[in-house]
Amino acid sequence: MIPMSFSIEVAEAMKSGQPLVALESTIITHGMPFPQNVETARLVEAEVRANGAVPATIAVLDGTLHIGLDAAQLDSLGQAHNVAKLSRADIAACIATGGTGATTVAATMIAAELAGISVFATGGIGGVHRGAETTFDVSADLHELAQTAVTVVAAGAKAILDLPKTFEVLETLGVPVIAYGQDEIPAFWSRQSGIPAPLRMDSADSIAKAHQMRGLMDLPGGQLVCNPIPVEAEIAAEEITPVIEAALKEADAQGIAAKAVTPFLLDRMFAMTEGRSLTANIALVLNNARLASEIAVALHNLSHKSAK
Ligand code: PSU
Ligand code: MN
């Protein structure tokens, strides 16, 4: 048996058949500094509730896979040091050996599917890193989207990545990439990437129907919904690009590799923008939580209709 534990709120929601939205924990432990990380996690959960769904923040604590964290668990995770960053490769080993770890997009998708949760909100997914032609650094998030049936709402892939290569790989893997309400894929801190979106949808209902159709057709894998950051929180591409380039240069000079790359870059961007990158990151996560909740509610209504 998988040691799994459901928070009281999540257990109640499952019993009474309410829509749920999964949330990841790597953004808490490796994506934002304390105390903004814990504050943001709470705001995101509140945003999900305000939009008619129930939040399930996912993490591995002392060998148990938690679906939903209580206030004390969230607080201690947000302040803990040396928490593992778990992806598909290491989540089982962490549980089996009694470890503690935060779940990335890939690991959160795995846990959400195990728990029967179909919709997940995050900030930005991992992808193909710049220079991947020599480092081979491609996030496991991409392959997870190709095999696990969860709809992931993000503000695109993090702009520290090679975005054209990231979306090429998603196309190769057969992952539907849906821009919400615009024709271009958004670029995390900025609304535009210059990359045309393969699919565009303007309502949560359409996204829910597409999710349901993939299930009916037995197509494995999920969907990536790219929700642009709200206009008022955006950092224009001209402004953020030099900052990204400076952060990348530092990472290179210091020989930062593998799992450390994304947290290092986010942390340097935070320092170099005097916190603006973080303010934008918080705004986009909240915006994604809202859309994910609407999709979860729409999917819930669809499955009830088809059951009748
Ligand atoms: N989104 C954010 N901040 C983050 C992440 C996403 O706004 O820190 C995390 C996610 O957990 C994602 C991970 O899965 O970064 C990608 O890491 P890597 O590039 O090492 O695969
Ligand atoms: Mn990587």
Side-chain angles (χ1 to χ4, degrees):
M1 268 238 312
I2 306 165
M4 243 166 133
S5 166
F6 297 85
S7 66
I8 295 172
E9 186 186 18
V10 168
E12 296 265 304
M14 286 180 162
K15 213 162 53 190
S16 58
Q18 284 169 266
L20 285 134
V21 170
L23 301 167
E24 61 151 309
S25 44
T26 294
I27 189 168
I28 302 172
T29 55
H30 294 72
M32 292 184 186
F34 179 80
Q36 289 99 328
N37 60 350
V38 175
E39 285 161 19
T40 304
R42 288 200 205 298
L43 287 175
V44 170
E45 291 196 344
E47 194 66 27
V48 171
R49 292 185 194 104
N51 287 278
V54 173
T57 301
I58 290 171
V60 177
L61 305 178
D62 301 319
T64 296
L65 177 58
H66 285 261
I67 312 293
L69 300 180
D70 65 30
Q73 290 166 336
L74 192 66
D75 218 63
S76 74
L77 190 69
Q79 296 183 67
H81 294 283
N82 303 320
V83 176
K85 175 179 163 188
L86 305 175
S87 190
R88 167 170 283 263
D90 30 33
I91 185 168
C94 181
I95 296 171
T97 57
T100 291
T103 52
T104 58
V105 168
T108 306
M109 289 179 76
I110 293 170
E113 192 179 51
L114 276 173
I117 303 174
S118 306
V119 185
F120 161 26
T122 183
I125 62 158
V128 180
H129 282 266
R130 300 187 197 191
E133 56 275 30
T134 50
T135 62
F136 279 50
D137 190 351
V138 178
S139 177
D141 292 353
L142 302 184
H143 289 269
E144 205 58 54
L145 279 161
Q147 58 184 312
T148 302
V150 173
T151 286
V152 179
V153 182
K158 282 186 282 286
I160 52 174
L161 301 165
D162 185 323
L163 296 183
K165 287 195 184 71
T166 297
F167 292 102
E168 282 295 345
V169 170
L170 286 169
E171 184 187 59
T172 304
L173 293 172
V175 175
V177 173
I178 304 164
Y180 183 66
Q182 64 179 35
D183 295 324
E184 256 179 51
I185 297 173
F188 200 69
W189 294 286
S190 324
R191 290 173 62 84
Q192 306 296 340
S193 65
I195 306 169
L199 296 163
R200 172 188 170 151
M201 289 185 189
D202 291 349
S203 72
D205 201 48
S206 314
I207 298 166
K209 281 183 176 143
H211 178 108
Q212 191 189 42
M213 187 56 67
R214 284 184 70 88
L216 290 170
M217 294 177 76
D218 272 332
L219 288 171
Q223 309 189 104
L224 176 63
V225 178
C226 297
N227 188 25
I229 183 170
V231 181
E232 64 281 5
E234 172 179 39
I235 306 180
E238 310 85 79
E239 199 182 327
I240 203 77
T241 304
V243 183
I244 295 172
E245 277 161 10
L248 284 164
K249 245 188 223 144
E250 282 186 26
D252 199 39
Q254 295 183 37
I256 308 290
K259 281 181 186 231
V261 175
T262 299
F264 177 88
L265 292 174
L266 292 176
D267 185 55
R268 291 307 299 142
M269 304 266 308
F270 171 67
M272 286 190 270
T273 61
E274 290 167 346
R276 267 192 74 206
S277 65
L278 178 61
T279 310
N281 199 344
I282 295 169
L284 67 85
V285 182
L286 286 170
N287 193 44
N288 296 341
R290 199 171 312 128
L291 178 57
S293 305
E294 289 170 15
I295 297 167
V297 170
L299 202 54
H300 184 256
N301 292 340
L302 279 178
S303 48
H304 279 247
K305 232 189 279 166
S306 56
K308 270 180 210 157

